[in-house]
Amino acid sequence: MQFDFEALKRFYNFDIKLLTLAQQTIKSVEEVFKKIERIKSYNQLKILNAFHKNKLSYTHLNKTDGYGYSDSGREVIEKIYSDVFGSEDSLVRIQFISGTQAISTMLFGVLRPGDLLLSISGRPYDTLQKVIGIKKGGYGNLIEFGIGYEEVDLKENNFDYEQIENLLRKQKVKAVFIQRSRGYSLRESISIEKIGQVTQFIKNISPDTIVIVDNCYGEFVEEKEPTEVGADLMAGSLIKNPGGTIASCGGYIAGKKDLIEMCADRLNTTGMGKDVGPSLGFNREILQGLLFAPHIVAESLKVAVFTAYIMETLGYEVLPRYNEYRTDIIQSIVFKDEEKLIKFCQGIQKGCPVDSNVLPEPWDMPGYSHKVIMAAGGFVQGTSLELSCDAPVREPFVAYLQGSSSFEIGVVGVLRAIEMIRRM
Ligand SMILES: *Cc1c(COP(=O)(O)O)cnc(C)c1O
């Protein structure tokens, strides 16, 4: 990769030792970058082809309002998403305000009183714990509606096949839940290959069990998505990977046609389904964002790899290591020290294109049980495909870094963050 270190010195005046370290880092990760570029090409062509196949035209960018009947743009978007994800159908809507809402819609969409939900990747993401009812707060969680919940932890970074089989044979499991990405935990993320294997295993024992995947942060990191290896439903956020930093809100659910209809009725109300939902002029953002997504995901992955290498060189434990297999864009760095964690996040903020002059502090964020510090200075609130770094302030003080729309932004952020912890 050609990187202008002279410019880095000229515009940012980093000290020569740090610049040398950055230079060595970029040289050492060359091979990993090549692999990232290759997957990017694949996904870029896959998406472009879906645009061509579905004859996207300029008029599809028009808006609808009110009920949103006959929104041909929205319909084309959902066809394109279905093709890209290899799924029968999809629901891609600005009416999802977050990934949590899309996942929640998926769960309430298909589960009924008396059904059992089984998570096989351990405890789900923080904000979903209230949705399920395993954490107090809010109204109308799954458990309150008479839906049972059990979970099996991962075992040695894979699924605990023995336990899963026992549970599937003991009782009727309506849906199995898998979280692809690590979320705020120190486990490894789960590859598409492993998701495919466990899905086959589940279907062999219990063909009617619905396999549901939380796909947040995973889109376009590999060549395939969970719905291409047998998952029945998956969901994610448009202010993460598939929105390509352009979509300013929204979420998606993709999967089997009948299940998508159930989810659409849950989102829009019984009997309304997919036919309503005004796009309000957001079709362009959603489409352009999807088109850019593989490129931005690749830039983000390069930032993650750069960070892993440089932080490991400086003596920190990182997960994954720079050359380890990746299935999401998250890079964890273990600080084991509260102050270092906070300083690092504050340094990342200094690299962000927006709000680089503010200092983030830990706060009580809705949906989380610990204080969370969030470095985020992008063009969309809360987006984490733009450069961002967040951390629940708890042992062992791990920072989770994601994004940026270009590699250079990430490099400046990480080098500024290193400066911050060095100055302590
Ligand atoms: C981001 C994320 C979610 C949903 O989060 P929102 O902030 O509600 O979009 C769910 N699961 C995982 C693993 C995530 O990373």
Side-chain angles (χ1 to χ4, degrees):
M1 160 180 250
Q2 296 297 320
F3 193 98
D4 191 342
F5 288 96
E6 286 298 316
L8 200 53
K9 173 143 188 61
R10 174 173 178 175
F11 294 114
Y12 285 96
N13 203 28
F14 290 118
D15 80 63
I16 193 74
K17 270 194 193 151
L18 195 51
L19 283 170
T20 310
L21 182 59
Q23 208 158 3
Q24 282 167 355
T25 299
I26 290 180
K27 221 169 149 191
S28 309
V29 299
E30 197 87 359
E31 285 308 309
V32 186
F33 280 15
K34 281 186 190 159
K35 283 187 199 155
I36 292 171
E37 285 293 332
R38 204 184 153 82
I39 294 174
K40 180 195 100 172
S41 305
Y42 179 89
N43 283 316
Q44 189 69 74
L45 294 168
K46 183 193 201 185
I47 290 172
L48 182 63
N49 185 249
F51 278 52
H52 292 163
K53 188 183 150 200
N54 291 291
K55 302 188 175 66
L56 177 70
S57 72
Y58 189 71
T59 54
H60 291 135
L61 308 182
N62 288 341
K63 76 165 196 177
T64 57
D65 49 23
Y67 295 127
Y69 290 133
S70 312
D71 191 319
S72 60
R74 189 190 66 214
E75 282 161 20
V76 168
I77 288 171
E78 290 177 345
K79 281 192 181 131
I80 290 175
Y81 257 76
S82 304
D83 284 342
V84 168
F85 288 153
S87 61
E88 289 176 12
D89 203 354
S90 68
L91 195 57
V92 185
R93 301 294 168 117
I94 55 168
Q95 283 79 15
F96 288 122
I97 48 102
S98 65
T100 303
Q101 194 195 335
I103 295 163
S104 173
T105 303
M106 203 164 50
L107 296 172
F108 279 101
V110 301
L111 293 165
R112 295 292 178 268
D115 286 348
L116 179 66
L117 172 69
L118 171 65
S119 166
I120 59 168
S121 48
R123 192 127 288 213
Y125 190 74
D126 302 53
T127 55
L128 290 167
Q129 295 172 15
K130 283 185 191 167
V131 172
I132 295 167
I134 46 178
K135 197 163 78 181
K136 281 205 167 47
Y139 302 95
N141 58 54
L142 288 175
I143 291 173
E144 206 180 314
F145 277 97
I147 291 150
Y149 173 77
E150 289 194 34
E151 68 187 23
V152 179
D153 281 330
L154 292 169
K155 193 176 164 187
E156 287 147 16
N157 284 317
N158 203 341
F159 296 104
D160 186 342
Y161 278 86
E162 203 183 311
Q163 273 259 40
I164 294 169
E165 177 162 10
N166 286 343
L167 283 166
L168 286 174
R169 293 204 190 282
K170 198 176 81 185
Q171 63 215 308
K172 188 168 160 37
V173 175
K174 180 65 183 283
V176 159
F177 184 80
I178 300 169
Q179 180 182 308
R180 176 174 174 185
S181 157
R182 73 196 68 237
Y184 284 147
S185 72
L186 263 184
R187 68 161 169 92
E188 275 182 28
S189 299
I190 305 165
S191 69
I192 292 295
E193 191 185 356
K194 284 181 185 163
I195 291 175
Q197 280 164 356
V198 82
T199 301
Q200 272 313 312
F201 181 79
I202 291 161
K203 299 279 179 187
N204 284 341
I205 300 170
S206 175
D208 293 337
T209 296
I210 301 165
V211 174
I212 296 179
V213 179
D214 170 355
N215 202 32
C216 283
Y217 282 136
E219 300 89 353
F220 314 126
V221 175
E222 297 195 53
E223 288 181 0
K224 284 188 176 165
E225 301 297 336
T227 38
E228 293 173 90
V229 294
D232 299 293
L233 275 179
M234 66 178 187
S237 165
L238 298 198
I239 61 168
K240 291 181 179 173
N241 304 15
T245 75
I246 305 294
S248 54
C249 63
Y252 75 86
I253 303 176
K256 295 269 158 63
K257 196 167 182 49
D258 54 336
L259 302 177
I260 290 292
E261 267 161 25
M262 295 172 88
C263 296
D265 261 13
R266 170 71 199 189
L267 173 66
N268 289 334
T269 211
T270 313
M272 292 268 184
K274 288 188 69 184
D275 298 334
V276 294
S279 57
L280 302 171
F282 285 87
N283 287 348
R284 181 193 65 83
E285 286 187 8
I286 293 176
L287 287 157
Q288 204 171 7
L290 179 66
L291 189 66
F292 289 176
H295 173 71
I296 312 278
V297 166
E299 292 296 284
S300 301
L301 286 168
K302 286 181 204 165
V303 173
V305 168
F306 174 85
T307 309
Y309 190 95
I310 202 164
M311 294 308 287
E312 187 173 331
T313 309
L314 293 172
Y316 296 93
E317 187 192 329
V318 295
L319 195 81
R321 295 191 58 214
Y322 78 98
N323 57 357
E324 272 175 335
Y325 194 79
R326 285 173 195 263
T327 190
D328 65 27
I329 61 166
I330 304 178
Q331 180 60 50
S332 329
I333 309 126
V334 185
F335 285 98
K336 296 188 178 140
D337 181 293
E338 181 171 339
E339 206 190 336
K340 272 190 186 160
L341 172 77
I342 292 170
K343 290 275 183 220
F344 186 86
C345 292
Q346 290 175 340
I348 293 293
Q349 183 78 35
K350 288 174 183 289
C352 292
V354 183
D355 284 340
S356 59
N357 54 332
V358 306
L359 214 56
E361 296 283 351
W363 65 300
D364 292 306
M365 226 173 106
Y368 296 83
S369 52
H370 294 79
K371 277 193 187 303
V372 176
I373 180 163
M374 287 218 157
F379 291 88
V380 173
Q381 187 189 82
T383 172
S384 40
L385 184 61
E386 295 188 64
L387 181 62
S388 52
C389 188
D390 34 62
V393 182
R394 67 182 179 213
E395 299 270 0
F397 301 110
V398 183
Y400 298 86
L401 178 115
Q402 307 86 213
S404 87
S405 35
S406 85
F407 179 63
E408 287 77 3
I409 299 170
V411 168
V412 170
V414 171
L415 296 185
R416 287 194 142 177
I418 293 170
E419 276 185 343
M420 285 286 282
I421 48 178
R422 279 187 166 175
R423 261 192 230 125
M424 277 171 56

